[in-house]
Amino acid sequence: MLPRTVRLHGADESLRSLLSDVLGDMGIPLEEDGGGARADVVLALVEREDSMRGVLREVSGAAPVIVLLPFEDERLRCLAMRLGARSCYALGTPLEALKRLLREVGLSNAPGGWGGEAR
């Protein structure tokens, strides 16, 4: 099960365009940041350690957050997870990893799934 909508936070137009194409291929619309609709997943770009807490505070809510890191950094990944991110994806790594994360988040939030409520 895939998320129905994804919101992107803190990205420039080139990253937004790339992710819009990737998500579009999966059939998932990319919502505008700050839009009124509640997204199923938030992708939040965090470029520096000192901004991690503020970014996660800005995007926290009912939707799971996948932090987009500028490069693979175990210290940043651990910090993001400790501060409440559901997962992390390092830019520049294969996009299949991001697609897998989105599928996993979608499954975990499905009714009866790992993070969802059974009905």
Side-chain angles (χ1 to χ4, degrees), residues 47-66:
E47 297 184 275
R48 297 182 336 265
E49 180 179 355
D50 61 351
S51 64
M52 180 79 67
R53 189 175 308 277
V55 169
L56 286 172
R57 192 176 312 122
E58 285 177 40
V59 299
S60 68
V65 177
I66 297 174

Side-chain angles (χ1 to χ4, degrees), residues 80-109:
M81 300 298 284
R82 196 169 53 247
L83 293 174
R86 176 69 62 92
S87 192
C88 295
Y89 170 74
L91 299 173
T93 60
L95 288 167
E96 284 304 315
L98 177 60
K99 291 178 180 180
R100 186 176 57 251
L101 289 173
L102 289 167
R103 285 186 202 99
E104 290 170 1
V105 169
L107 284 173
S108 68
N109 288 333

Side-chain angles (χ1 to χ4, degrees), residues 14-68:
S14 63
L15 181 55
R16 176 174 291 286
S17 178
L18 170 69
L19 292 174
S20 182
D21 289 345
V22 170
L23 295 173
D25 289 346
M26 296 175 73
I28 305 169
L30 185 62
E31 301 291 327
E32 291 296 319
D33 192 25
R38 180 191 169 279
D40 291 333
V41 176
V42 175
L43 299 177
L45 179 63
V46 178
E47 297 184 275
R48 297 182 336 265
E49 180 179 355
D50 61 351
S51 64
M52 180 79 67
R53 189 175 308 277
V55 169
L56 286 172
R57 192 176 312 122
E58 285 177 40
V59 299
S60 68
V65 177
I66 297 174
V67 170
L68 304 176

Side-chain angles (χ1 to χ4, degrees), residues 48-50 52 69 71-82 88:
R48 297 182 336 265
E49 180 179 355
D50 61 351
M52 180 79 67
L69 299 171
F71 49 86
E72 186 64 50
D73 183 321
E74 190 62 26
R75 188 175 38 90
L76 286 177
R77 178 182 299 278
C78 289
L79 177 61
M81 300 298 284
R82 196 169 53 247
C88 295

